[in-house]
Amino acid sequence: MSASEPAEPDQLALVAAPGRRRFRTREPEPVAAELPVAQVLVDVGLPHLDRPFDYLVPASMDGDAVVGARVSVRFAGTDHDGFVVARTDASDHEGKLARLRRVVSAEPVLAPEIVALARAVADRYAGTVSDVLRLAVPPRHATAEKAASPDPPVPPARPEPGGWAEHVDGAALLDALAAGGAPRAVWNPGPAADWPDLVARLVATTLSGGRGALVVVPDGRDLAQVSAALTALLGAGSHVELAADAGPSTRYKRWLAVRRGAVKAVVGTRSAAFAPVHDLGLVLVWDDGDDLHAEPRAPYPHAREVLLLRAHQAGAAAVVGGFARTAEAEQLLTTGWARPVTPSRPTVRAAAPRIHASGDDHEQARDEAARTARLPSLAWRTARAGLARGPVLVQVPRAGYLPGVACGRCRTPARCTACSGPLVLGQADRPPRCAWCATEHPSWRCGECGNPTLRATVVGVRRTAEELGRAFPGVPVLLSRGDAVRDTVPSEPALVVATPGAEPVADGGYPAALLLDGTALLARTGLRAAEEALRRWLRAAALVRPGAMGGEIVLVADSSAPAVQALVRWDPAGFAGRELAERASLHLPPAARVAELTGAPADVDDLLMHAELPDGAEVIGPVPVDDGARAMIRAPRGLGTALAAALRAAAGVRSARRTGGTVRVRVDPVDFG
């Protein structure tokens, strides 16, 4: 494709009428002698323009307009940024070509393999390459670009297997990586495993064979743990961290070091999945069930899927790891794409803490202090015994103080009289306020029965900490939550109250842990509610000492629930197999592909009308939602590519006609249901 050249005064001969003054014009600058045509991916983001366009390369820009360089071009009457993705001898366009306006930077930041990956991700998620490249290539920082990168490191010696010796097929995985192979594994370490060290040994083994490695983790805490393990094993400078909170200059400098081949090991959060690692030999995603791996910007790719596409294109090894196993990971095993790598059952039994399930109310404590803290008798006894030996972890699934309240008499949820939003209690000495508009209600009364009293329907981490402080006088209560996360706690007795994902690592492990409000977690709506509950419990349980060392866990939930039984037996594989089978019977992801369309009702209907869906696709809806209308399209897994192509083509038709508003398209959203 091409962009036609606009009329510019210095490139046109201006012919004057007879008797009028003639103007002399400059001759157009000659184009490059070799490969005079640049194919440019223009940053426009419109589906019907999702392709490279041809531009002429002026001779003065020949040396700088290299493949991968950032350029500025004229497109549809305005200047746009873009990337040169190829240089050719000629264009297929028969008309006149426009010229590059300028070369923004001669640094070849866009690697050809990342272009191919961006195309594959756009095809997978019904998006555009421009949207993917905004996620893949960080903004330019001129100062960082001028700085030199260090020399490439010497490949390290192959490390000892460490904890991999306890895994079935763990040694075979390491041998294949060292030999330059491309094994594919779903890895679930056992209880109390030092998973950052295990990850570091996979990376070091890959580097020892002269290839690069890429590790993606959910958040900064996991990033810090893996980075520390890599530094301990390989020394400083052996890898780089790529995360959004590093700052634009630092992040771009590190990213350039990777692009230039100065560093071949990368660990980062979800955007690092596109890091241009040279000679890529291993991709690894840790805790792939964490929703932080799902990109909230179009086209909404999941880091696990991006890495699996990279492994396929690069012929690299792929490892999907986590204490829990998602249905998507189980699907990889079922199809034969990957093999399981887990510790033997005797190893798991030896390392696992003793785990008990206790109902929320039927075993409510015989001790008044335990009733104050909302603890069943078993949980109360376990916490008191654990405090004699060190810190006790208390996991609370909700943040805040009382994030849900209702009428104390009729149990009707408390609502704001101004906007009908839900009321919450931020602290004990303040009146309830609206979670939506922040209006306070010091004189609230129930609209159904007129009662002025409130009761808690959901108890948050701060209220739980307050109650535990009264139940265990004299024991320090340490909070760890989203806005104030503790990385570690000492071995002294203390109650460590944390939200899921914010649990600190205890020196020597926790002697006991209480996992509260498990029934509330399991009762949440959504396709992944049980899977997510088990994932949270397993991550917390992995911080507890083995049963042989007195480690004990009490989960406050119905013991008959499959997720609870999976935790008690430490059987993430069995639960994942059951979950996948249930979803397959219901034609739900990952056994099927689902696309969610959200927008104004007329726009959703218009996109559906233009979409030539493959045979076998089923449209559910549209139905009214808060932000307009939503339709779901479900198709067999084998038709996923065709479904995405149909939606992308329909979006292209609508954008070309410039009719209607935007419709958000999400393929296989993590919050489906």
Side-chain angles (χ1 to χ4, degrees), residues 39-43 51-53 81-85 110 115 129 133:
Q39 295 182 353
V40 179
L41 277 173
V42 185
D43 186 10
R51 59 187 183 273
F53 289 86
D81 292 331
F83 295 98
V84 177
V85 295
L110 184 59
V115 176
V129 172
L133 291 181

Side-chain angles (χ1 to χ4, degrees), residues 173 182-186 311-312 315-319 333 336-341:
L173 174 62
R184 298 162 179 172
V186 172
H312 175 72
V319 177
L333 298 175
W337 197 88
R339 294 184 59 181
V341 177

